Amino acid sequence: MYIPEEKISEILNTSDIVDIVSESVILKKSGRNFFGLCPFHSEKSPSFSVNADKQIFHCFGCGAGGNALSFIMKYHGISFPEAARMLARKYNVVLETESMDPARKKQVLVKESLLRLNKKVMSLYAGVLNETSKGKAARDYLENRGMTRDIIDEFYLGLAHDAWDDVVHFLKKEKVTRQVAVNSGLILPRKQGNGYYDRFRNRIMFPIFDINMQVAGFGGRVMDDAMPKYMNSPETPVYSKGRILYGLHAAKQYCRREGSVYIVEGYFDFLSLYQHGIKNTVASLGTALTKEHVRILKGYAGRMILVFDSDDAGINAAKRSIQIFMGEAVDTRILVLPDKHDPDSFVMKHGRDAFLELADQAKTIMQFLLGLAMDTHGLSVEGRIRILDEMKQHLALIKDSALRSLYVRELSETLNIDERAVLEKVRDAVIQKSTKQSSLMPDHPADEKILVSDPRERQILSIMLNYPNLIPEVVEKEVLSCFYSKRFQKIARKIIATESVNEGFVTSVMAKIDDNRDQELIASLAMDDFSGNDDMARTANVLMNRIIRIRKKTENILTTEIISAEKGCDANVTDLLRKKQLEIQQLHDSQQI
Ligand code: ZN
């Protein structure tokens, strides 16, 4: 523990899980819980639930679960102390870093100093653009591209001087340590080994914000035809290209409102659409879109519209991105702009309404792929067979079988090939794919088994979590010593050791548990609904008596048999029975995995 336990409870008590999860998942209230699409596995109907009373989340689909802190950790892929600090910052809980171990402390401090430094450099760049005579050319450039004052200010655009050591000097003046300066990616060591030089020179600068409005990195664009046209910060401890989308910090509320998001490539594409009131937009910045990107966006919008240029590069980029979106089962549309337009040039020339009209006709992934295949192969008999061969691979990627059969019908009609023949081809491709996958990725059936194998022991845990006032009876009955599952036994002991408070009991139990799988189990147990039961004490008693009776009975039978076998001097039978006794124990122990 690097952060004192009482600080963790303070964070958990002041934070609100519905509030926190809502930042990344669209939640709808249903009964006593909130439901939404799980950000941790791909699904079409919501099985991800959040319980405000208990301050926990649980996914009935993939089993993910925990409290506010575990959600932040899992969602952002960060460590426990980082998650605690993030929430502490959000809810103004003061944390001391003194109690952290030195390595962690250093990591956290490095990140914080990088974010602080980036913010200062952002102001430096903005100052150069807006307040110096050298910024005039850049201001004119932006004006010529149609950027308004408001947009320039809202996204803190700036200018890097046409100099080799502007930022180098600035960092010196600010007394930034060499390690932080180099880590920021803003300066690079000279090849001759004497000192450093600025990475970004004579470029329009775009600060890249993370979802918490912190400056994670920068992008820079030249104002003439020099190469490279665009240059971005390298990966740093605060800038991960696979997770950050340009503009999401500003667009997220609009994505949620519209239920859709436009995904474009460049800074100007984003800024132009945003400026024209199409604010549910993010830019991928030329990085290939990742699963993480899609999962993050899923938290804000159900439909994603990929906008591409009509040139070859655009089409190829579309083809590359498609696989990711199909695998994640999201409603994806492909919008290819006409006449070699990019989103920036299109909306500047034709305006908002023309763009939205076009977007309305955006193709589904299958329509898009089919169109491409038809352009390539033509509709001769041979061409159609080739198209089918190509399309079956794509169709095999669709996990939802109902959706797949719709596409199969569409394909069979377009190609004028019998639906059953198409279906057969697709099935072969699915089977090929799934046998390939299953040998690579084993599932975890052990997890599911444990939940069905010990229904009574599971129920006792669930009652303890939901009715802490019944815990003393569980202790008195000594039922835990009769548990076959060592894992349940261990968790029950932690529950007993947790001080019973009226609010936040479940999260206090979770705070005592390090194992992520155990946390998930607790979340799933705590989600049990006993609302129809008005005599919980009685139910608990019946369950406990049964557990005790069964355990005693099994052991009695075996012991009696062993004794009588020993009397009869049948060594084989004795061995067999002892083995059986051991097996029963092992069977249950093995389920602890
Ligand atoms: Zn899930």
Side-chain angles (χ1 to χ4, degrees), residues 38 40-41 43 47-48 59 61-64:
C38 180
F40 306 119
H41 84 281
E43 62 175 2
S47 47
F48 180 83
C59 173
C62 68

